Amino acid sequence: MSHEGILLFLIAVLPFAGALLPGLMIRAGRTASAVSTAVPTLMALVMLCILAPAVLRGEVVQAQIDWLPQLGLSASFFLDGLGLLFAGMILGVGLLITLYARFYLSGDDPVGQFYTYLLLFQGAMLGIVISDNILLLLIFWELTSLSSFLLIGYWKHLPEGRQGARMALAVTGAGGLAMIGGMLILGNIVGSYNLTDILQAGDAIRASEWYLPALILILLGAFTKSAQFPFHFWLPHAMAAPTPVSAYLHSATMVKAGVFLMARMWPALAGTDAWFYIVATIGLITMVVGALIALFKDDLKALLAFSTVSHLGLLTMLLGFGTEAAAVAAVFHIINHLTFKAALFMTAGIVDHETHTRDIKRLGGLRHLMPITFLIGTVAALSMAGIPLFNGFLSKEMMLEEASHTDWYGSAYAVPVLATIGALLSVAYSFRFVGHVFLGPKRDDYPQTPHDPPFGMWAAPALLVVLVIAIGVAPFLAEGIVTAAASAVTGADLHPHLKIWHGVTPALWMSVAAIAGGALLLMLHRQLDRIWIAAPRPEAKAIFDRFVAGLVVASRWITEVTHNGAISRYLAIFTVTSVLLGFIAYSSSGLSAPTRDLLGVPLVIAVGWVMLVVATVSIVVMHHHRFRALTLLGIIGLSISAGFAYLSAPDLALTQISVETVTIMLLLLALHFLPKVTPKESPIGLRVRDGIIALTAGGGVSALAYAFLMRDIETISDYHIANSYEGGGGTNVVNVILVDFRGYDTYGEIIVLGIAGFVIYALMRALLDGPAAQRLKNTDYSQDRSRDRHPLMMVVVTRILMPIALVVGLYIFLRGHNQPGGGFVAGLVVAIALLMQYMASGFAWTQERKKIEYHTMIGLGVVVAGATGAGAWLAGQPFLTSAYTYVHLPPIEEFELATAMLFDLGVFLTVLGAVMLMLYSLSRIARFAGETVNVAPMDYDPGAQVAEEEAER
Amino acid sequence: MELIVATTVGVLTAGGVYLLLRLRTFPVILGLALLSYAVNVFLFASGRLAIDQSPILSKYGEATYTDPLPQALVLTAIVISFGMTAVLVMIGLGAYLEAESDRVDIEPETPDANDQGERT
């Protein structure tokens, strides 16, 4: 990446990295916090200045880091004229706002939070303007919504602040969602998510049949963000934010994001009728409506908010015109609007700060008390009104010039007349801002007697006002950046000349009419205001609240219908949907012809199948008798193991049969403490309903299984079969897959099993520490107990079986790599052998003879398996690569030693430990239930009796 | 044979789902066990059926083998489903001992069922 590219990356990263600072620095005071906010901003600004000359020459700075290139995801940034303009605005105004906020916020406000949010927002905003990947842009877009939510709701104690923040988030967030759709369509049309590619492919995009949906979705995002009619209502409510936030977000940056997006997408989307009629019309309406409402707002910030809406409409309209001259005017007005509007917001903030009111009707005559603020506010307001020698005049003239020769649906007058009216209203509210706040007689009923604020507070707006005059008098100062930005917007090589005097043009007459009419309107304001207040107007907030309430009702209804907490409903919805989807897939695309023949069914298998079906049906019918149901479950499990054995899966058969045994033991142990019968309480209707759900699910699964059983499939198993012996050193492919090819999976699975063991142990401990322990002690289980609890025959048989079972377990373990068997099965077999001792001689007797804790065993197993895998690293191989060798030790025949066996040992230990821990936990409960502790291995011990008799003799 | 396996999966699923929908913990555990069987057999069957073709490599010449991969996956699935059943049994047992009731659904004791639902 080039030197410039790295700088660009740093610019993108700095605000986010810097956001950590102010929150920490606040401990050192507000000034330290403000300085730590200014430093990253300033650094980014300096870097931007380093890049600026190249960009102004028309070069584009690029930086890219691939993330998932297959999906077109990369962190790529680029900086062209438009990006430079916006980045400069974001960082420059950010710096001024940092200074202003330091003096504006009071000592009670959490200033550290404020600056952190501010930097987060600044980073998100910068990300939008320099992203080269539209998916990345979308992420930053959403981040601005989120961070502005935090900023607008900064004064958490104010309900208006919270409501305004929610409304802003809902509206801009919804627009952002629409935009995601539009951007994805765009990316699909072009085949790339890179902005540079998309901007090149304008013709293909406009020709695509997906152009209109994409356009509308993207514009929804832009319009909501930039508060265009009819989404304009959120912006005034967001004015509940502290004034620095309003000045930053709602004049300079966030609301311009929509305008920026339209400008950015201009080469790709503009130039069609659809673009003109949607964008220009909405812009025009917004401009006039916003200006009209602004004139009648008494709240200073509300007035400015609606004036911002109006000016954003103006910008949107200019971009909607789709001509190059209009684009130049738009870019120029973006700069001018930023300077005077940010200054005005700060002025309003100062007035509010000093007089403790923002109500215009309670103000007036402030010029005597706050001369500096008066000067700043007046210059900025005159610029907003479009008075010559201030910068607002220049871009407004260009706008009127463009409007004067724009036809709208065959009418040559619609646009010019409405644009003039918009300008006229703008003059009126600008004059009102000056006239009703600063001019007029000095009053004696201000909530607090004002005076000019300290220098730090008026420095920022003063600097902006200097820019207003400088550009207004010498417009060529802005020519460089306007040229670069407008060229970037249009994609053409433009050389605009910004000047004050254009000669006697229609625009000049429109301007004169606007200024004269505006002044006249202000004189009539008192009368008009009365009519305005009396007239019925739609209240946007009420409509929005009703809409949200409706949504809440609808989503609550959906939630209650689908998520009522009853599993039957979830299962019903899930079953019906899956079966339906399966059926649609089946009936729409059809099924290829079967490629396999049916295998024959021997009699034994048929009998087994009948047993299984009968047992299942019986469980369903007789599940109220729990013990009987458990026996039937055993039949099913055994039938399935027999099926596995028949269908060439000896390993599965072995596993199933041993798991079956321990499962039944476990359930038996649990059943001891549970009621022995399930009461019949489901009404018949419920049972029919459940039956239908069950049969639908069963039928669907059956059909699916049958469908794929009759068809062949491409399998990756050939690789495993081919490499099992050479690569894994074993002939039992299933075992080699478990301990070698997919050893990672197995490793994860034994860990899960170990965790399950510990969970059960923990549950048992928690249970025995709680009220359940008392209940267990007080419950009488004696009638369930056998009178001969440790029968002689059973004790003797299990003792004899113990070594045999252990040898069988060892045998199964050792042969596992080449013949059916392995760690899983061996672990289960040994577990069963041990369990039999518990059953025969009781818990306490066996526990005394246990040498290793089961917890240790689980841990040991996982460690052994993991260490075996890690051992491969020593040989420079990836994790879990196995090695093996053949050893010849006379007199035993040649046998194999593989590291996989060590891994299998880990599996064995974990399985054994987990199974034993589970059953041990259940038996612990038995001891609490008043089970006697036996010290002898059996109740009636003939050996002991013989010894007794001999002693007597 | 294919029909046998397919119907087995279906019957086990239907039985499992029906028992899952019962109101007491024990039948629900049984239902889950049945459903585990069904899922295991289903996964196993995805390797297609074969007789006398165990995936144990033969030393003597060419032989065909059934698909070993589903078998390996099902083997661990069997063991894991045991672990899951065991945890469920313990939870069910604990719930019964703590609450003296083994119902799985919410009992609407008061007329205001919603309120009850939030507390339980």
Side-chain angles (χ1 to χ4, degrees):
Chain A
M1 205 185 308
S2 65
H3 171 65
E4 283 86 7
I6 293 170
L7 277 185
L8 192 56
F9 255 116
L10 286 177
I11 292 175
V13 170
L14 263 174
F16 289 112
L20 298 168
L21 281 178
L24 297 171
M25 291 303 286
I26 189 63
R27 285 158 196 275
R30 288 193 288 160
T31 309
S33 188
V35 169
S36 65
T37 312
V39 167
T41 315
L42 195 64
M43 280 166 69
L45 195 60
V46 168
M47 292 179 193
L48 195 72
C49 289
I50 296 173
L51 296 179
V55 175
L56 287 177
R57 280 197 304 272
E59 291 171 25
V60 175
V61 180
Q62 280 184 313
Q64 177 159 353
I65 294 179
D66 279 336
W67 179 40
L68 289 175
Q70 300 89 336
L71 292 176
L73 296 181
S74 60
S76 45
F77 298 100
F78 81 127
L79 188 72
D80 62 354
L82 187 65
L84 177 69
L85 169 65
F86 271 89
M89 283 172 19
I90 293 161
L91 292 169
V93 180
L95 215 50
L96 296 179
I97 293 294
T98 308
L99 170 68
Y100 179 76
R102 160 64 188 86
F103 292 92
Y104 181 86
L105 294 173
S106 77
D108 303 334
D109 294 319
V111 178
Q113 266 180 37
F114 178 84
Y115 281 124
T116 297
Y117 295 163
L118 196 73
L119 277 178
L120 284 178
F121 173 78
Q122 185 179 305
M125 206 53 220
L126 264 182
I128 290 184
V129 300
I130 60 173
S131 290
D132 189 13
N133 184 298
I134 50 174
L135 300 176
L136 193 64
L137 190 151
L138 284 171
I139 292 171
F140 285 121
W141 187 273
E142 296 297 330
L143 275 180
T144 59
S145 291
L146 288 175
S147 51
S148 72
F149 171 78
L150 293 172
L151 282 169
I152 296 169
Y154 173 68
W155 279 327
K156 302 180 187 73
H157 54 279
L158 296 180
E160 305 87 52
R162 298 196 302 269
Q163 288 164 10
R166 268 206 304 274
M167 188 191 273
L169 184 67
V171 176
T172 57
L177 287 180
M179 203 174 83
I180 291 176
M183 290 296 198
L184 291 180
I185 295 177
L186 216 56
N188 256 355
I189 296 175
V190 180
S192 160
Y193 289 109
N194 266 356
L195 207 48
T196 16
D197 296 336
I198 290 173
L199 297 186
Q200 305 274 316
D203 290 332
I205 293 169
R206 283 186 289 269
S208 160
E209 56 177 343
W210 285 97
Y211 167 72
L212 198 60
L215 176 69
I216 291 174
L217 288 172
I218 291 175
L219 286 180
L220 270 177
F223 286 172
T224 48
K225 201 78 156 185
S226 281
Q228 295 299 295
F229 180 85
F231 307 111
H232 61 284
F233 57 88
W234 70 264
L235 186 56
H237 287 285
M239 289 299 143
T243 303
V245 174
S246 310
Y248 194 33
L249 271 64
H250 305 134
S251 75
T253 53
M254 188 172 90
V255 292
K256 295 259 175 66
V259 174
F260 167 81
L261 193 82
M262 285 186 270
R264 180 91 285 173
M265 289 295 170
W266 203 84
L269 297 174
T272 60
D273 276 354
W275 170 273
F276 173 76
Y277 282 112
I278 298 176
V279 179
T281 312
I282 293 283
L284 190 59
I285 295 173
T286 311
M287 179 169 105
V288 177
V289 170
L292 184 66
I293 302 175
L295 182 57
F296 297 102
K297 282 287 167 188
D298 289 331
D299 180 354
L300 267 183
K301 278 176 79 180
L303 185 153
L304 292 176
F306 277 105
S307 108
T308 305
V309 168
S310 168
H311 280 268
L312 292 168
L314 187 158
L315 291 170
T316 306
M317 179 183 76
L318 280 174
L319 290 170
F321 285 164
T323 61
E324 287 170 357
V328 173
V331 169
F332 193 29
H333 195 68
I334 287 172
I335 301 174
N336 297 337
H337 179 249
L338 162 91
T339 51
F340 66 69
K341 190 52 68 64
L344 281 171
F345 266 116
M346 292 190 209
T347 309
I350 292 173
V351 169
D352 185 18
H353 198 256
E354 295 299 325
T355 65
H356 287 202
T357 182
R358 298 198 309 242
D359 189 344
I360 296 179
K361 291 201 169 121
R362 299 190 62 184
L363 294 168
L366 289 184
R367 74 176 189 281
H368 305 291
L369 296 164
M370 317 169 70
I372 300 173
T373 316
F374 165 60
L375 184 67
I376 294 170
T378 308
V379 171
L382 291 180
S383 176
M384 178 159 77
I387 303 300
L389 294 186
F390 301 109
N391 61 359
F393 168 73
L394 303 169
S395 44
K396 183 177 281 189
E397 279 286 286
M398 290 162 79
M399 180 275 283
L400 291 173
E401 172 65 31
E402 282 306 304
S404 68
H405 50 72
T406 302
D407 277 2
W408 192 87
Y409 216 68
S411 157
Y413 291 103
V415 177
V417 168
L418 281 172
T420 311
I421 292 176
L424 186 152
L425 291 166
S426 170
V427 171
Y429 66 67
S430 301
F431 284 177
R432 181 164 182 245
F433 185 91
V434 179
H436 290 186
V437 174
F438 293 104
L439 303 181
K442 188 170 143 188
R443 296 167 67 145
D444 49 14
D445 60 346
Y446 305 117
Q448 181 184 310
T449 312
H451 50 77
D452 269 321
F455 169 74
M457 201 157 172
W458 60 260
L463 187 65
L464 289 168
V465 162
V466 168
L467 281 176
V468 165
I469 299 174
I471 299 176
V473 176
F476 61 85
L477 289 176
E479 221 168 75
I481 182 71
V482 170
T483 307
S487 303
V489 171
T490 55
D493 195 15
L494 299 178
H495 296 285
H497 289 289
L498 308 173
K499 49 188 179 181
I500 302 173
W501 182 249
H502 290 265
V504 181
T505 55
L508 189 69
W509 291 115
M510 287 155 83
S511 246
V512 169
I515 294 171
L520 187 70
L521 212 56
L522 187 64
M523 277 184 248
L524 300 172
H525 186 267
R526 191 178 291 269
Q527 289 79 8
L528 292 172
D529 198 37
R530 234 172 273 142
I531 302 171
W532 176 264
I533 290 169
R537 301 182 306 272
E539 178 56 50
K541 185 171 186 311
I543 298 171
F544 177 79
D545 285 346
R546 266 205 301 283
F547 179 69
V548 170
L551 278 183
V552 169
V553 169
S555 48
R556 179 166 296 155
W557 179 79
I558 291 174
T559 312
E560 275 169 8
V561 165
T562 54
H563 285 248
N564 66 343
I567 189 175
S568 54
R569 186 151 310 178
Y570 302 155
L571 268 182
I573 293 171
F574 177 71
T575 311
V576 169
T577 315
S578 340
V579 172
L580 207 66
L581 284 177
F583 182 74
I584 291 171
Y586 170 75
S587 54
S588 59
S589 64
L591 216 49
S592 57
T595 53
R596 295 173 71 98
D597 296 327
L598 280 174
L599 293 173
V601 182
L603 185 66
V604 187
I605 294 297
V607 170
W609 179 76
V610 170
M611 270 168 60
L612 183 137
V613 172
V614 169
T616 312
V617 172
S618 308
I619 285 195
V620 168
V621 176
M622 302 195 285
H623 73 267
H624 302 282
H625 304 279
R626 294 181 171 182
F627 184 72
R628 210 178 291 167
L630 214 49
T631 322
L632 290 164
L633 195 69
I635 295 180
I636 297 173
L638 293 182
S639 310
I640 289 175
S641 358
F644 282 146
Y646 179 70
L647 290 169
S648 318
D651 280 288
L652 289 189
L654 279 173
T655 315
Q656 179 71 54
I657 212 166
S658 37
V659 163
E660 197 52 44
T661 316
V662 285
T663 307
I664 298 290
M665 282 179 181
L666 179 90
L667 285 170
L668 273 174
L669 272 171
L671 188 56
H672 180 55
F673 304 102
L674 287 169
K676 305 295 172 287
V677 289
T678 308
K680 297 193 179 187
E681 54 195 345
S682 308
I684 181 78
L686 210 62
R687 274 183 272 166
V688 169
R689 183 201 67 185
D690 295 347
I692 291 172
I693 298 174
L695 287 177
T696 317
V701 174
S702 258
L704 179 62
Y706 185 68
F708 73 64
L709 276 174
M710 295 307 293
R711 284 157 187 85
D712 281 306
I713 193 186
E714 288 273 318
T715 166
I716 56 167
S717 300
D718 294 336
Y719 170 83
H720 296 132
I721 292 173
N723 289 290
S724 172
Y725 189 68
E726 263 122 62
T731 53
N732 180 1
V733 186
V734 174
N735 184 271
V736 174
I737 291 175
L738 282 176
V739 299
D740 194 331
F741 293 130
R742 302 194 67 90
Y744 236 131
D745 290 2
T746 312
Y747 188 51
E749 269 147 13
I750 58 171
I751 290 175
V752 170
L753 195 68
I755 291 172
F758 288 131
V759 164
I760 290 174
Y761 181 76
L763 278 172
M764 179 270 290
R765 291 299 301 262
L767 203 62
L768 294 183
D769 286 342
Q774 283 306 317
R775 195 162 295 139
L776 271 170
K777 279 188 182 141
N778 297 333
T779 315
D780 182 20
Y781 291 101
S782 57
Q783 77 277 6
D784 294 340
R785 286 193 187 123
S786 158
R787 254 161 292 172
D788 189 5
R789 284 171 51 212
H790 306 292
L792 170 67
M793 288 302 287
M794 189 167 168
V795 172
V796 173
V797 169
T798 52
R799 288 291 186 285
I800 296 171
L801 272 176
M802 174 82 172
I804 300 176
L806 289 182
V807 169
V808 169
L810 186 68
Y811 171 67
I812 287 179
F813 174 75
L814 287 178
R815 78 200 281 253
H817 215 42
N818 292 316
Q819 293 294 315
F824 275 108
V825 186
L828 289 164
V829 167
V830 173
I832 293 169
L834 292 176
L835 281 171
M836 288 196 301
Q837 310 308 314
Y838 277 91
M839 287 168 77
S841 293
F843 180 80
W845 186 88
T846 321
Q847 193 66 14
E848 260 174 37
R849 284 151 185 80
K850 189 190 67 172
K851 294 286 180 284
I852 308 175
E853 285 295 326
Y854 300 128
H855 306 70
T856 320
M857 213 182 273
I858 294 177
L860 205 62
V862 173
V863 168
V864 166
T868 312
W873 286 331
L874 295 179
Q877 298 285 326
F879 189 62
L880 278 174
T881 312
S882 69
Y884 64 95
T885 181
Y886 288 92
V887 182
H888 189 72
L889 262 185
I892 313 170
E893 62 176 300
E894 191 181 66
F895 67 96
E896 179 198 353
L897 267 184
T899 56
M901 196 155 266
L902 215 54
F903 182 78
D904 222 11
L905 180 69
V907 174
F908 167 82
L909 286 174
T910 313
V911 171
L912 179 61
V915 172
M916 291 311 291
L917 190 62
M918 289 171 187
L919 292 145
Y920 160 78
S921 303
L922 273 169
S923 356
R924 277 279 300 199
I925 295 178
R927 286 186 70 180
F928 262 75
E931 193 134 331
T932 50
V933 177
N934 56 319
V935 282
M938 52 196 114
D939 286 350
Y940 173 73
D941 190 342
Q945 195 139 1
V946 170
E948 219 170 89
E949 278 166 15
E950 274 178 2
E952 274 175 23
R953 245 180 268 146
Chain B
M1 197 66 214
E2 274 78 4
L3 264 177
I4 294 258
V5 173
T7 46
T8 303
V9 174
V11 167
L12 288 172
T13 308
V17 169
Y18 182 81
L19 289 178
L20 266 185
L21 290 171
R22 297 304 90 204
L23 301 173
R24 303 284 171 155
T25 46
F26 198 76
V28 170
I29 293 167
L30 289 182
L32 204 73
L34 286 187
L35 210 58
S36 311
Y37 290 145
V39 171
N40 289 341
V41 175
F42 184 88
L43 288 181
F44 164 72
S46 70
R48 308 300 184 267
L49 308 182
I51 294 161
D52 291 336
Q53 296 176 13
S54 309
I56 311 290
L57 298 183
S58 156
K59 287 179 186 167
Y60 313 105
E62 286 293 298
T64 52
Y65 305 105
T66 183
D67 195 339
L69 199 56
Q71 292 194 16
L73 298 181
V74 170
L75 198 152
T76 50
I78 293 173
V79 181
I80 292 282
S81 60
F82 162 73
M84 193 184 64
T85 311
V87 171
L88 204 67
V89 165
M90 196 67 198
I91 291 174
L93 189 59
Y96 172 68
L97 292 176
E98 294 270 341
E100 277 193 291
S101 160
D102 61 347
R103 289 185 70 97
V104 288
D105 60 341
I106 303 153
E107 285 172 89
E109 284 162 9
T110 50
D112 190 359
N114 273 339
D115 179 43
Q116 181 78 14
E118 272 161 26
R119 269 191 281 123
T120 34

